[in-house]
Amino acid sequence: MKRLPVLVVEDDADLREALVDTLLLAGFQVVEAADGTAALEVLQREPVGLVISDAQMQPMDGYQLFFAIKDRYPGLPFVLMTAYGVIERAVELLRAGASHYLLKPFEPQQLIAEVERFVLNAPEVSADTLVAESPAMRKLLSIASRVAPSDASVLISGPSGAGKEVLARFMHQYSRRKDGPFVAVNCAAIPDNLLESTLFGHEKGAFTGATASLPGKFEQAQAGTILLDEVTEMPLPLQAKLLRVLQEREVERVGATRTIKLDIRVLATTNRDIQAEVAAGRFREDLYFRLNVFPLQLPGLAARPEDILPLARKLLRKYADAVGKSNLTLGRDAERELTAYSWEGNIRELDNVMQRAAILAAGTEVFAADLMLESVSPERPVALPDIFAEPSAVEQAMDMKSIEKKHILDALEAVGGVKKLAAERLGISERTLRYKLQRYREEDGDSA
């Protein structure tokens, strides 16, 4: 994905054309709008990396546009073009959070330098970091990339398996602490009685089994980033101690008498409605405000359908290489299945599906049967066997036989009944395929 375009907002058509041409010739992507209202419509359709707006426009001027953008798209850089006579209002906008202003008239090089300052310094999202083809993700990453260089605490919320830690790593990668450590702590996976010493460290003899002094995760994250994953799972007594660490930027190991100064950036994630947790008394309100300096809401996979196939292809490449099938591709019928599925398990579920498909694919193409989505789809439940009953060897053989039959018939249907193409997909000889089809006809009269 290339860097996001610059939005030029100017009601004078000739001047707008000159601004756009200047930026295009300098190598920037540009979108344009004739006034503030049109600019907001553009922002609804696609994310941008910078807004450059005239001050005097109708019906919505540049000042109104700034506050509308600040409310709807926090973190989006905004540069105002204004005349010398009203510079006071431009300064007011700077105090309110605008990025800069340009005094008219200005030279083309001034405009280019201003754009370079914001656009070229913004991190670029690539296939190696995050997949972001959907408008929802492009907008989110536009904001995240602006927050990443700061030391502001960020709270990333979203459903399980949606990629919250991946987003956190992206923010660390493009922060000024990128050369420091990234330390992730899963607050839900560590027993309550061990979480305090895990986070803050302990001295030798602090408790039974503490045979040596050990630094905690906060100390390990010095000069880097610490991620408190699923922070809402942390018990209330420990939340109070965490609050003090975040406020004072110092930590005291369990059993110690001295404090250690911290130089860290704090990120946190949750899959719960954290405001509801605060209202229910399960999460401290003061800690919530300390962590929630900059909130980011990560959508589930079903809410970003444009990302499903790019993610599936990326995961398929990973697992295909692992099983020695580097030329695997997604078939059309598999693509239809993937985009129609509900993805309640989000990217984690998609990862499992693509790993399964890479193993099951018999030829060079993955098709619908390889995904095995029907057997796990919540809309089409399958009867589960008695968990205490062990399947006999005959039952196991019958299950494998039915899976093989479905696999073959699906492949045949996908190529319009052409046996030669089906055999190539399945990685078997045409003679073997004809033999199996003949056997199916004899067994149950299926036409194939």
Side-chain angles (χ1 to χ4, degrees):
M1 190 175 89
K2 295 180 180 179
R3 297 192 186 277
L4 298 174
V6 179
L7 172 57
V8 174
V9 191
E10 171 61 65
D11 58 352
D12 184 317
D14 292 336
L15 179 54
R16 185 171 70 250
E17 183 179 359
L19 293 168
V20 169
D21 288 347
T22 298
L23 293 175
L24 288 173
L25 288 171
F28 298 104
Q29 297 180 75
V30 186
V31 289
E32 56 185 285
D35 56 52
T37 304
L40 292 177
E41 291 173 356
V42 170
L43 290 172
Q44 283 185 324
R45 295 194 303 269
E46 61 178 304
V48 303
L50 169 67
V51 177
I52 296 182
S53 174
D54 187 25
Q56 305 299 325
M57 298 180 295
Q58 294 293 335
M60 178 187 287
D61 64 22
Y63 306 102
Q64 294 170 305
L65 175 61
F66 166 73
F67 286 107
I69 288 175
K70 182 182 179 183
D71 180 55
R72 302 180 199 182
Y73 308 98
L76 177 59
F78 186 97
V79 173
L80 188 75
M81 299 180 292
T82 185
Y84 182 78
V86 287
I87 192 172
E88 294 81 4
R89 292 198 68 186
V91 173
E92 288 177 13
L93 237 58
L94 285 180
R95 292 191 182 117
S99 303
H100 207 245
Y101 63 86
L102 283 167
L103 281 178
K104 293 181 178 180
F106 49 80
E107 295 296 321
Q109 281 306 121
Q110 286 180 268
L111 174 66
I112 292 170
E114 197 68 25
V115 172
E116 285 179 341
R117 179 181 167 195
F118 295 101
V119 175
L120 294 186
N121 289 332
E124 189 170 4
V125 181
S126 69
D128 294 331
T129 52
L130 287 166
V131 172
E133 299 294 331
S134 65
M137 279 301 294
R138 287 169 65 92
K139 184 182 296 184
L140 176 68
L141 290 185
S142 173
I143 297 171
S145 65
R146 303 299 170 188
V147 184
S150 75
D151 266 351
S153 297
V154 177
L155 180 61
I156 304 170
S157 56
S160 293
K164 297 187 290 295
E165 183 172 338
V166 176
L167 179 59
R169 289 182 180 275
F170 167 82
M171 297 190 72
H172 172 72
Q173 181 183 352
Y174 290 105
S175 74
R176 67 181 182 86
R177 299 174 177 275
K178 63 182 179 181
D179 296 326
F182 179 89
V183 178
V185 187
N186 188 334
C187 300
I190 302 171
D192 291 357
N193 61 334
L194 295 179
L195 187 54
E196 182 177 1
S197 63
T198 299
L199 288 173
F200 308 140
H202 64 260
E203 294 293 345
K204 181 178 179 180
F207 51 84
T208 303
T211 57
S213 297
L214 287 175
K217 297 296 185 181
F218 275 92
E219 285 182 70
Q220 294 171 28
Q222 286 281 31
T225 302
I226 186 168
L227 171 64
L228 302 174
D229 196 19
E230 304 304 347
V231 69
T232 43
E233 303 295 328
M234 186 178 291
L236 275 169
L238 192 54
Q239 291 178 29
K241 296 182 180 180
L242 174 62
L243 177 65
R244 185 183 178 281
V245 170
L246 299 183
Q247 286 175 336
E248 304 300 327
R249 281 297 193 267
E250 61 183 27
V251 67
E252 185 177 304
R253 293 182 183 177
V254 177
T257 57
R258 65 182 183 90
T259 58
I260 300 167
K261 288 292 182 182
L262 296 175
D263 174 25
I264 56 171
R265 202 266 182 89
V266 179
L267 306 177
T269 73
T270 180
N271 60 9
R272 297 190 181 188
D273 182 342
I274 194 166
Q275 290 180 322
E277 294 296 299
V278 170
R282 291 187 291 267
F283 199 80
R284 291 180 64 105
E285 185 177 37
D286 46 7
L287 179 57
Y288 164 65
F289 286 122
R290 177 64 61 175
L291 293 171
N292 198 46
V293 175
F294 212 103
L296 292 177
Q297 176 70 44
L298 186 62
L301 187 55
R304 40 187 288 209
E306 298 88 349
D307 294 331
I308 293 173
L309 293 182
L311 276 167
R313 295 187 187 106
K314 180 180 178 180
L315 293 168
L316 181 62
R317 283 194 300 272
K318 179 178 77 171
Y319 289 116
D321 290 341
V323 296
K325 302 177 183 178
S326 56
N327 57 346
L328 267 183
T329 59
L330 279 175
R332 291 286 179 85
D333 58 336
E335 290 182 349
R336 285 193 294 270
E337 284 278 319
L338 289 168
T339 52
Y341 190 65
S342 60
W343 298 114
E344 293 186 7
N346 294 295
I347 299 173
R348 188 177 294 130
E349 183 181 11
L350 178 61
D351 186 284
N352 292 339
V353 169
M354 298 321 297
Q355 183 177 11
R356 185 163 62 232
I359 295 169
L360 289 178
T364 60
E365 188 173 322
V366 170
F367 51 98
D370 298 322
L371 304 173
M372 292 181 66
L373 282 177
E374 182 177 4
S375 63
V376 297
S377 172
E379 296 177 1
R380 292 172 286 182
V382 294
L384 297 175
D386 182 349
I387 60 171
F388 298 109
E390 267 211 40
S392 65
V394 174
E395 288 172 330
Q396 289 178 333
M398 290 298 290
D399 286 343
M400 291 302 296
K401 188 176 178 182
S402 62
I403 291 172
E404 179 194 65
K405 178 181 176 182
K406 185 178 187 311
H407 199 59
I408 288 174
L409 295 180
D410 283 346
L412 194 64
E413 182 181 359
V415 296
V418 181
K419 294 180 176 63
K420 182 178 180 181
L421 294 178
E424 290 175 357
R425 275 176 169 251
L426 294 164
I428 61 177
S429 69
E430 192 174 349
R431 179 180 178 181
T432 300
L433 176 61
R434 291 182 184 279
Y435 167 76
K436 288 182 178 293
L437 293 174
Q438 179 61 36
R439 194 177 65 193
Y440 298 154
R441 292 191 191 97
E442 293 170 356
E443 288 175 352
D444 53 21
D446 283 356
S447 58

